[in-house]
Amino acid sequence: MTTTSPSAPRELSPDADTRVTLDAALTRLRAGAAAWADLPAAGRRHLLREVRAAVSAAADDWARIAAASKGLDPRHPLAGEEWLAGPYAAIVALDAYADTLDALARGRSPLAGIRTSTAPGGRTVVHTSPLRVSDRILLSGYTTEVWLRPGVTSHEARDAAGLASRHPLRSTGVGLVLGAGNVTSIPFLDVLYELLAEGRVALLKVNPTQDTLVPVFERALAPLIEAGFAAVVSGGGDVGAYLTRHPEIDHVHITGSETTFRAIVGSGEDRLRVPITAELGGVSPIIVVPGRWTKADLRFQAEHVATMRLHNSGHNCIAGQVVLLSRDWDQREGFERELRRAFARAPRRPVWYPHALERLRRLRDTYPDSEWFAGDTRAIVSGDGEIETTEYFAPVLGIIDLPGTGAAFLDAAVAHANDRLTGTLGANLLIDPISQHSLGPGFEAAIARLRYGTVAVNGWTAFGFLTPTATWGAFPGGTVDDAPSGIGIVHNALLLDDVERTVVRGPFRPFPRSLGRGRFSVLPKPPWFVTSRTGGAVSQGFARFRIDGRIGPLLVTLARAFGA
């Protein structure tokens, strides 16, 4: 639940000079909307290449300023997060969209040559990554699939892929993007989706937490801004409120909290008059299926869980918040012990997001038996209650007891996640290869029953967020009156229609323990793990390789990865 600045009361309004600036930006975008609709796929592809060059030139400043905005020195071991969640995410998305536009320009479906299969319930599965050799190297062992809604055939999927970029025959107007305040690539990626999937030019209103990045966004989006296809503005809730009710806005997209979403939608005479899509976060489960794990497995997966919660200091809509554990697992105590060690071992960092410290103080009253780590800046709590219904957006992890082992536990965990936890954005599932094999087809059926927009098996849902050809958003069914995790999807660089969810699959064990033991990976500890000693350098190296494709520096980066 990435939080935007709250909408101001309707009687408040920006000052006259600000209104003039906003009105002028919208007037220019309105003129650009028709030109965007007239631009064919080949022209859009060429423009994206210009944007790619602009992002590449701004990458160093992007990562440095983003880290500083979160209280991190560029040499901090976790500063590499800002390379992956910023320039890296932007570059891989631009490359993936360019491939889609290239296919459309040649009169082909973006799904030409991409494998499809089936999943339980009559679902077509599109195998969306890896699609490039570089993905197989950098992200070895990790895959993504997009599951379409039941009944959609692979033939129908190929015909529909392309969305508004397939037949850009008319303008769909001007979209307002209310940018997220926590992850710096989100506003940039949301602008791309407005343009390419929805056919709308976009006004990006930057969250105040990212005001220092406004010049970076302007540089990165300069080719689109100069053509009249995008604009960037800043300001608080008064600016947001003014823009959501502006007559030149045809659609609103927000990445933020449900509270802010409700304020924007309004009620009665003040009801929002245009359609809205949203990504609103939620309480994400981490389902740990009992099995026979080695000591190395317990430690690795405990660090995996700690990463899901502590990345970006817990200020992520994709953060795992509740671990569902079996009370009948004979290795449970060992796993919890390793989890506490990982929480204590991860480098300290500021709790920087607005109001997060207040939520941590409230936690002490709500869960007086909570365990605190790293100078009382992160906590683990046991038991049900608020931890299941309120997204803390802070470094707080809950542990919930459930009965059973094997299929009985998995069934109970799926039901608990679906029925007791708030939201439908993402669910994580950890299971060893032997246990997964013993469940047979029942395991895939359990994935199908999870009502989440992204399900990660031996991975973190953030991998789906970072993969441009995957989709990101709530499970279908949200409405303006009931949208705990939002409405619609983003990313989706293959421009697929009728999407139900993304499924991420990763290796249960890293290299070299992955040899002959389940899904193979050449990666040692992944660089995004908060416990990786070389994660900062490796993350930066991965991003630089995506930018320039130079093999020599990549080999140095891969050598560093084995020092994690």
Side-chain angles (χ1 to χ4, degrees):
M1 185 180 304
T2 45
T3 308
T4 62
S5 54
S7 294
R10 297 300 174 209
E11 64 270 15
L12 296 184
S13 181
D15 60 50
D17 290 342
T18 300
R19 292 198 303 272
V20 168
T21 299
L22 298 174
D23 291 350
L26 287 168
T27 297
R28 189 159 189 266
L29 286 171
R30 178 62 64 184
W36 177 251
D38 289 338
L39 191 65
R44 296 180 179 192
R45 178 191 59 200
H46 177 76
L47 194 56
L48 286 196
R49 288 173 178 162
E50 293 182 358
V51 175
R52 191 189 196 282
V55 170
S56 300
D60 283 272
D61 287 343
W62 188 331
R64 175 181 54 80
I65 294 170
S69 73
K70 299 176 182 184
L72 296 180
D73 184 276
R75 294 165 294 183
H76 190 282
L78 298 180
E81 291 178 359
E82 299 311 314
W83 278 96
L84 289 182
Y88 178 101
I91 289 291
V92 296
L94 288 165
D95 287 345
Y97 278 124
D99 288 346
T100 290
L101 292 173
D102 185 66
L104 293 173
R106 297 170 185 270
R108 302 168 59 203
S109 168
L111 293 189
I114 294 178
R115 183 168 68 94
T116 62
S117 61
T118 58
R123 294 170 170 88
T124 292
V125 175
V126 182
H127 294 266
T128 56
S129 75
L131 298 178
R132 295 176 174 220
V133 173
S134 56
D135 295 333
R136 298 181 188 276
I137 296 172
L138 297 189
L139 307 172
S140 174
Y142 290 86
T143 62
T144 63
E145 311 157 5
V146 173
W147 292 18
L148 305 181
R149 297 179 192 243
V152 177
T153 68
S154 60
H155 179 77
E156 290 169 337
R158 293 180 194 280
D159 281 350
L163 300 180
S165 287
R166 187 175 184 87
H167 300 294
L169 300 178
R170 63 181 181 84
S171 169
T172 53
V174 180
L176 171 63
V177 172
L178 297 172
N182 63 330
V183 174
T184 63
S185 62
I186 293 177
F188 179 92
L189 297 176
D190 289 349
V191 167
L192 294 184
Y193 199 72
E194 283 290 293
L195 287 161
L196 298 167
E198 306 293 354
R200 287 184 287 268
V201 296
L203 176 64
L204 167 61
K205 189 267 182 191
V206 176
N207 188 288
T209 64
Q210 295 191 8
D211 275 349
T212 56
L213 281 161
V214 168
V216 170
F217 290 142
E218 290 175 335
R219 288 169 59 192
L221 294 168
L224 295 170
I225 294 172
E226 292 164 5
F229 302 148
V232 180
V233 300
S234 59
D238 58 339
V239 171
Y242 180 75
L243 290 172
T244 58
R245 265 53 182 182
H246 200 287
E248 291 293 344
I249 293 295
D250 299 292
H251 181 272
V252 175
H253 177 78
I254 173 180
T255 301
S257 70
E258 189 176 11
T259 300
T260 304
F261 175 79
R262 291 275 155 245
I264 292 169
V265 170
S267 60
E269 294 183 359
D270 193 42
R271 183 86 164 180
L272 185 68
R273 63 173 182 80
V274 299
I276 184 170
T277 52
E279 192 268 84
L280 306 177
V283 175
S284 293
I286 305 167
I287 299 171
V288 180
V289 180
R292 178 52 52 193
W293 295 10
T294 67
K295 290 183 179 179
D297 294 337
L298 292 170
R299 177 168 181 156
F300 179 78
Q301 293 299 346
E303 292 181 358
H304 198 177
V305 171
T307 296
M308 296 181 197
R309 179 69 270 186
L310 299 180
H311 181 279
N312 199 23
S313 202
H315 310 314
N316 284 335
C317 59
I318 50 180
Q321 181 164 304
V322 171
V323 182
L324 301 181
L325 280 179
S326 169
R327 66 173 66 106
D328 301 316
W329 186 26
D330 59 3
Q331 293 184 288
R332 180 204 167 117
E333 287 187 12
F335 179 75
E336 284 198 48
R337 184 165 53 249
E338 290 293 349
L339 183 55
R340 293 182 178 91
R341 288 173 178 169
F343 253 60
R345 192 164 59 246
R348 293 193 185 188
R349 62 177 302 166
V351 178
W352 62 271
Y353 206 82
H355 309 299
L357 288 174
E358 297 171 21
R359 289 190 286 274
L360 288 179
R361 285 193 290 269
R362 188 181 74 207
L363 182 80
R364 290 187 179 276
D365 297 329
T366 307
Y367 294 94
D369 295 329
S370 54
E371 298 177 70
W372 292 84
F373 306 85
D376 289 352
T377 59
R378 58 187 72 145
I380 295 177
V381 306
S382 297
D384 55 10
E386 187 178 86
I387 196 73
E388 298 180 286
T389 57
T390 300
E391 185 186 19
Y392 269 86
F393 215 66
V396 177
L397 184 70
I399 297 177
I400 303 293
D401 277 342
L402 294 175
T405 58
F409 170 80
L410 183 57
D411 289 345
V414 168
H416 192 99
N418 284 342
D419 301 335
R420 295 284 297 276
L421 305 185
T422 296
T424 65
L425 187 61
N428 310 275
L429 200 156
L430 305 179
I431 184 169
D432 68 271
I434 293 175
S435 297
Q436 183 173 337
H437 179 75
S438 69
L439 290 169
F443 182 71
E444 294 298 307
I447 294 176
R449 291 198 305 275
L450 276 166
R451 296 192 297 270
Y452 286 84
T454 298
V455 177
V457 180
N458 292 331
W460 177 24
T461 51
F463 192 90
F465 171 90
L466 200 63
T467 303
T469 49
T471 59
W472 185 252
F475 194 76
T479 68
V480 291
D481 297 311
D482 182 20
S485 283
I487 306 169
I489 59 171
V490 289
H491 304 180
N492 186 26
L494 292 170
L495 300 179
L496 302 172
D497 201 4
D498 294 314
V499 167
E500 182 184 66
R501 75 182 81 201
T502 280
V503 176
V504 174
R505 301 181 196 265
F508 181 72
R509 299 181 175 99
F511 185 85
R513 293 189 301 112
S514 61
L515 286 166
R517 307 174 73 183
R519 178 175 284 233
F520 175 72
S521 173
V522 299
L523 283 179
K525 185 180 295 183
W528 53 86
F529 270 38
V530 293
T531 51
S532 172
R533 295 191 301 270
T534 60
V538 174
S539 296
Q540 181 176 347
F542 279 11
R544 291 196 184 282
F545 174 72
R546 293 296 194 183
I547 290 170
D548 59 30
R550 295 173 60 202
I551 298 298
L554 175 63
L555 294 177
V556 174
T557 294
L558 293 175
R560 286 176 174 168
F562 282 86

